[in-house]
Structure formats: structure tokens, C-alpha cells
Amino acid sequence: MCGIVGAIAERNITPVLVEGLKRLEYRGYDSAGVALLTEQGALDRRRRVGKVSELQAALQAEPLAGRLGIAHTRWATHGAPSERNAHPHFSGQELAVVHNGIIENHEELRERLKGLGYVFTSDTDTETIVHLLEHKLQQLGDLSAALKAAIPELHGAYGLAVISARQPDRLLAARSGSPLVIGLGLGENFLASDQLALRQVTDRFMYLEEGDIAEIRRDGVQVWDAAGNPVQREAVQYHEGAEAADKGEYRHFMLKEIHEQPKVVQRTLEGRLGSDHVLVQAFGPQAAELFAKVKNVQIVACGTSYHAGMVARYWLEELAGIPCQVEVASEFRYRKVVVQPDTLFVSVSQSGETADTLAALRNAKEQAPGQGGYLASLVICNVGTSSLVRESDLCLLTQAGPEIGVASTKAFTTQLVGLMLLTLALGQVHGSLDKALAAELVDELRRLPTRLGEALAMDKTVEKIAELFAEKHHSLFLGRGAQYPVAMEGALKLKEISYIHAEAYPAGELKHGPLALVDADMPVVTVAPNNELLEKLKSNLQEVRARGGELIVFADQQAGMSNGEGTHVVAMPHIHDLLAPILYTVPLQLLSYYVAVLKGTDVDQPRNLAKSVTVE
Ligand code: G6P
């Protein structure tokens, strides 16, 4: 998704802007650009299709320097990826804008502005913003006043950064539906859509809220809220080491993040477990009171986070006895939903900024409890400063740290841990969870980081198995019970980064269709913990073998399964059946990683995908 970086300083800020863009590369984009106010007092820009490195090369060939500037990575929504559609967009030579999000009334604005004599040079919605601003600037003479006057005419979602050659002492920003953060320096200040872009220059941040407009100068920041009142937004010190955005010894961020799982799962559990129970306060001070009232749970999420929600449904119904529904946010948000009384709305999101999930939460909050609305909202999220966290009643922060690889790995397993904590907390409060089982699961959770470490030690075995996929175009993933969503997540990982077509099925559905596809060219991956469904699963596997299908089975070491003709069994560490979905995810992540490496794809930034989907 698009990324914004801006800076105002007493030094040449081109390197800061380019480094910021590089740090946002993980979000996915198709073109990049930078605009600066040069020492001659004119605006100038460089834009390139492709990677930030192309832009860097362009800047080397034709250098650009200045002390005020904005930069952008674009992920095409209106208009193809091309240099003319890349940001920053100009109005004349006086005004430059970069924009994340979508302006929904861009067609109407475009017609109006054309009527006023503005000439459009791109197909983007963003260009309507810059001409509208120019028009207002003509009338009002002041950039902040022009921005304030333009905002009510912009419908949609945006994070904006604006500079003008006429007012070289300020960088302007506006936030509505797309995050922006100001990085605070000494005699210099910065702006970005994600603080990660600015950790190289500062560790002090000011987060803009919905509707905020900010005027950023070298020596200070002025913010106005949605009503136009001057407000003070708190400056927050960021603590985690900047090295988190480094690959370290690993070849890819994805592999590094897979290997971080024992540590980040440990962190996600820290401070949340009592001797034999989950600390309900971990979900917030009102959690115990609210949880007691919960009769239903509705989970909403996208992508990998949706799969975490699917696993949680099995847990919530089995352990807490609470009916649970799970739906992808893009469907949920546009559907007339019948809300059962006392339903807790739970969103799951790594970034906390996914447009569909956020819209679903906002819809859910529209109706009051008791009048057809939800009892309360809770988010399981990895970013404490995100919109979903700010707008939900309760939250549980996963402690995965920044996840850079587009394909989500450690965020997923920590989400599962968060959802297990939620299940146990609800079961405890309701008295529906057997105390001995709760104590056993709490113990098992404590041992989980060690088990994950053992699963990671199978790295080389999985790497060898990946060779079976090198020439394949299709594959099938099977699971039963809570392992079905794990199979879905395994298939998603494989398609995301290796571009091999992968489908997941509940193993019991095999005979109802997918078996027709099985032959020697279709590897079948199965996750088989040692549970009551194992015998049934073994029969499903026979059905595959009988059709000449090659089987890769990740099975509990006590499951009594062994290698055979066309059957590759990987023995997994023994784990409590209820926590198996967390552990069995790991070899599937490794499998897709090694297949992608063999195929030579761009593992951390797979084609066409974005890390954080902040538009519909
Ligand atoms: C994108 C990412 C996925 C992620 C999904 C939901 O599609 O590429 O990895 O699972 O968005 O993102 P969220 O931040 O809400 O978990």
C-alpha cells in the first residue's frame, strides 16, 4: 500500500526521504517519487516506476537537494502504475501533494477544476487534491487556510502531505482514514504514514488523530482537530531498538520473522498468565464486567488474520461454550447482519489499519447495545497506536514487533495466542471452562515457546521436502477440525509467495470434489496432530495415495505414521491438541518459504500484494 514520508530541516533531506521510502517498501508498491523545494526556491521532483532503487538511481543521475520535501511509494488504485501517475503530484510549479487512500468524489472534482482551467497530467484521484488546494490558495493566500478550506470538499479516505514553493517554512499534513505520524527532531521535524519510516531520524512521535490537520515547521508543530480547534497531541517516546527493521543474519525478513516466533509468543504471554488461569484484566479494566455479559462472539478480519479467527471459532465453542461466527471483513461490512443479543465484536488485525476491518468495526459501532447493536468491541492487534486499537472498547496487543515480510507469519501465531487467551478468559468468567483443563492449557502455553523452537529445528527437513514442489503448479492442503484453518493458512502462504496454486479443504470434503484433481502432479499437504480425528484423516490419506497423489504429512510423533512409497512424514513435537494449530503453522510457513526460495520469487515483497491494505 502507499507510503508517505516528509521532512523539514536545516540540512539536505533527500537521503532521509529515500531511506524512509526504503523502510516502507515492505508495504508493497509499484512506483516511487520525491519532490523537494530546491535552494533556488522552486519545486522539483523525480518519479520512477518500480522499486525505490530505481528512484535512487534517478537521483544519482540527476541529483535533487533541499530542506523541505515529500516522498511517496504508490500502489495503483486510480490509473495504471506509470511515471505520470506516480506521486508527488503538482499544481503548476508551486504546490506538491502526496496522498494515501482514495478520494471518492474525484470525478466530480476533476470536472469542476477543469472548468476552472486546471490541466490534469495524470489519471489519479490525487491530482484533484493538489489543484483544489491551489485554487483555495489563490483565494486565501495561506497554505494552512487553503488546506482547511479544501478538506470538507474531499470525500473518502486520505493521509496527505503538502508543500508549497510560496511558503517554504512549512510542511502540511491532514489525516482522515489513513494513518499519519509526525517524527519530532531538534530544529527539524518529519512526517510519515508509518513511524518505521522515521526511526532512523528520531524516536519521538506524535500520532495524528482522525480529522487532524498539522502544520509542521522546523521549530514546532501546530495541530488542529476535526472541528478546527487547536489541539495538543501527546509526544510519545518509542522504545524498541531500531534494529527491528533489519534482516540481521537472515536472507529474508520472512525467515527472520518465522524464527522470531518463540520469542514473540513468549512476549505475547508475558504478564497475562496467572498460576493456573488467564489474567482477564489483560484485556482492559472493564473486561471482566463485559465478558460476563457476552453470549455470542462475532469475529471479523481479512487474510491471514481471518484464518486466526477461524481457528478461534473452534476454541470458543469447545472451551468457553460461546457461539461464535467468523467472517471476512469485506463481506461483513456490506451485509445486513442480524446481531444476536450480547454479542462481542472482535476484530483481528496485524496492522490495525486494514480498511475493510476498520469499516466493519465502525459499522458495528453505529448501533448501541440493546438497540440491535453489539455489546462491545475488542481488537487483537499488533500495533498499539493503530486506528482499530484506538476505536475499539477493549484490546489485546500481540507483541510480534514490526512484521516486514508481506506474508504474515509471526503476527498469525501471536494472534492465535491472543485468541486462546481470550477463549480462556471468557471460559473462566462464565465458569464454562473446566478449571483443571484451564490450568493444563496455561501450563502448555508456558511451554509453547520451547515447542515452537523444536518445530523450527526441523528447518532443514522441510527445506528438503520443498524440492518436491519445485516443478509443481497445483497443490492441496488438508486438515480437520481446528487444523482446517491451519491448512487454509498454509495454502495462502504458498500461493502468496511461490505463486503455486494451492487450495485448502477440510479433509472430509475430499471425496466431494477435490479428489478428482489428485494425481502424481498434485502434492497433498496434511496436518495431522494426534487427536480423535486422526483415524478419519488416515483414511482420507489412503484415498489420496490410491490415486497416485504424493503426500506430505506433518504428524505428531506419537501418531504412528511413517514414511512410505509417495508418503513423506515429518514427525512433529508432541503438543496438547488444542494448541496444535499454533505449532503446525510453523512447518507450513517454512515449506512455503523454501519453495519460494527455490522458485526465485521476491519472498518479502510478492508481486501484486501489499502488507497493509488501507484502501478497499
Ligand atoms: C494483507 C496482508 C496480509 C494480511 C491482511 C490483513 O492482505 O498482505 O498478510 O493478513 O492484509 O491485514 P491485517 O493487518 O488486518 O492483519
Side-chain angles (χ1 to χ4, degrees), residues 302-305 348-352 354 357 406-408 415 496 610-611 613:
C302 299
T304 288
S305 302
V348 185
S349 174
Q350 186 283 126
S351 61
T354 301
T357 313
V406 165
S408 187
Q415 283 168 349
E496 277 179 320
K611 180 72 188 160
V613 182

Side-chain angles (χ1 to χ4, degrees), residues 129-413:
I129 306 174
V130 72
H131 293 314
L132 179 66
L133 269 172
E134 211 282 332
H135 178 57
K136 301 285 179 196
L137 191 58
Q138 293 276 355
Q139 296 172 332
L140 300 163
D142 174 77
L143 194 56
S144 305
L147 184 58
K148 284 179 198 163
I151 291 289
E153 295 179 33
L154 300 174
H155 304 162
Y158 50 82
L160 292 181
V162 188
I163 56 172
S164 161
R166 273 202 242 163
Q167 294 185 314
D169 58 342
R170 66 194 72 178
L171 162 63
L172 286 187
R175 172 192 168 142
S176 180
S178 191
L180 281 179
V181 57
I182 297 171
L184 303 165
L186 286 175
E188 54 186 21
N189 288 307
F190 308 92
L191 177 76
S193 49
D194 181 334
Q195 62 185 18
L196 196 64
L198 301 179
R199 288 216 214 116
Q200 34 147 349
V201 280
T202 184
D203 58 0
R204 284 177 64 235
F205 296 99
M206 187 185 275
Y207 299 95
L208 293 185
E209 297 196 1
E210 280 299 280
D212 279 358
I213 292 179
E215 185 179 277
I216 306 159
R217 296 171 181 259
R218 290 180 179 81
D219 57 357
V221 174
Q222 170 67 62
V223 182
W224 294 270
D225 66 11
N229 302 314
V231 277
Q232 203 71 38
R233 299 282 175 232
E234 196 191 347
V236 181
Q237 190 87 24
Y238 185 82
H239 287 296
E240 189 173 341
E243 77 284 0
D246 249 307
K247 278 198 281 253
E249 71 202 69
Y250 293 95
R251 187 165 158 199
H252 295 102
F253 278 111
M254 184 180 177
L255 188 62
K256 175 183 177 231
E257 289 160 3
I258 290 174
H259 279 273
E260 279 172 358
Q261 290 177 110
K263 183 177 74 190
V264 296
V265 161
Q266 172 83 45
R267 278 194 205 147
T268 303
L269 290 168
E270 265 162 27
R272 290 165 174 169
L273 296 178
S275 56
D276 57 0
H277 61 285
V278 166
L279 304 175
V280 179
Q281 316 83 288
F283 291 86
Q286 332 98 289
E289 200 190 321
L290 269 172
F291 283 2
K293 296 185 194 150
V294 173
K295 295 210 180 80
N296 296 281
V297 170
Q298 170 71 61
I299 301 180
V300 173
C302 299
T304 288
S305 302
Y306 167 68
H307 294 155
M310 293 267 295
V311 173
R313 181 161 76 112
Y314 288 88
W315 288 341
L316 280 160
E317 300 208 345
E318 177 170 349
L319 286 171
I322 296 179
C324 174
Q325 303 210 42
V326 191
E327 192 162 348
V328 285
S330 53
E331 284 298 312
F332 180 88
R333 66 177 288 195
Y334 288 116
R335 199 164 69 75
K336 175 89 188 79
V337 177
V338 178
V339 183
Q340 296 292 333
D342 300 316
T343 299
L344 178 67
F345 180 93
V346 176
S347 57
V348 185
S349 174
Q350 186 283 126
S351 61
E353 301 293 350
T354 301
D356 284 323
T357 313
L358 194 54
L361 170 67
R362 288 179 180 158
N363 289 355
K365 284 173 68 177
E366 259 164 27
Q367 220 121 21
Q371 291 160 23
Y374 288 90
L375 175 68
S377 57
L378 181 150
V379 64
I380 308 266
C381 188
N382 195 38
V383 181
T385 49
S386 64
S387 305
L388 276 170
V389 169
R390 282 203 305 271
E391 296 184 28
S392 298
D393 301 317
L394 302 174
C395 89
L396 185 87
L397 290 181
T398 50
Q399 301 294 333
E403 191 180 60
I404 310 292
V406 165
S408 187
T409 53
K410 61 176 181 170
F412 179 67
T413 40

Side-chain angles (χ1 to χ4, degrees), residues 325-543:
Q325 303 210 42
V326 191
E327 192 162 348
V328 285
S330 53
E331 284 298 312
F332 180 88
R333 66 177 288 195
Y334 288 116
R335 199 164 69 75
K336 175 89 188 79
V337 177
V338 178
V339 183
Q340 296 292 333
D342 300 316
T343 299
L344 178 67
F345 180 93
V346 176
S347 57
V348 185
S349 174
Q350 186 283 126
S351 61
E353 301 293 350
T354 301
D356 284 323
T357 313
L358 194 54
L361 170 67
R362 288 179 180 158
N363 289 355
K365 284 173 68 177
E366 259 164 27
Q367 220 121 21
Q371 291 160 23
Y374 288 90
L375 175 68
S377 57
L378 181 150
V379 64
I380 308 266
C381 188
N382 195 38
V383 181
T385 49
S386 64
S387 305
L388 276 170
V389 169
R390 282 203 305 271
E391 296 184 28
S392 298
D393 301 317
L394 302 174
C395 89
L396 185 87
L397 290 181
T398 50
Q399 301 294 333
E403 191 180 60
I404 310 292
V406 165
S408 187
T409 53
K410 61 176 181 170
F412 179 67
T413 40
T414 53
Q415 283 168 349
L416 288 178
V417 168
L419 287 160
M420 177 49 95
L421 294 175
L422 175 65
T423 304
L424 296 176
L426 281 167
Q428 279 167 211
V429 171
H430 282 249
S432 48
L433 176 64
D434 176 70
K435 283 205 166 119
L437 178 57
E440 196 184 333
L441 284 168
V442 166
D443 267 351
E444 286 281 335
L445 278 171
R446 287 208 174 86
R447 280 195 284 271
L448 184 59
T450 313
R451 294 286 166 273
L452 289 167
E454 290 164 13
L456 286 166
M458 300 179 332
D459 190 288
K460 289 282 166 269
T461 317
V462 180
E463 187 174 3
K464 190 91 195 95
I465 289 199
E467 290 169 15
L468 295 170
F469 288 75
E471 305 300 326
K472 301 288 191 287
H473 299 289
H474 305 277
S475 62
L476 199 57
F477 284 67
L478 301 177
R480 274 186 173 263
Q483 298 292 349
Y484 165 47
V486 171
M488 291 169 79
E489 175 57 14
L492 176 66
K493 286 288 89 86
L494 191 69
K495 56 188 147 194
E496 277 179 320
I497 61 167
S498 75
Y499 317 146
I500 292 179
H501 171 219
E503 275 200 75
Y505 264 90
E509 275 290 293
L510 191 62
K511 292 193 213 47
H512 299 290
L515 199 53
L517 297 171
V518 173
D519 61 16
D521 285 329
M522 175 96 151
V524 179
V525 180
T526 314
V527 275
N530 199 11
N531 62 13
E532 77 272 15
L533 291 173
L534 182 64
E535 287 312 313
K536 291 191 187 302
L537 191 74
K538 283 182 181 167
S539 337
N540 299 141
L541 300 188
Q542 287 310 321
E543 291 159 7

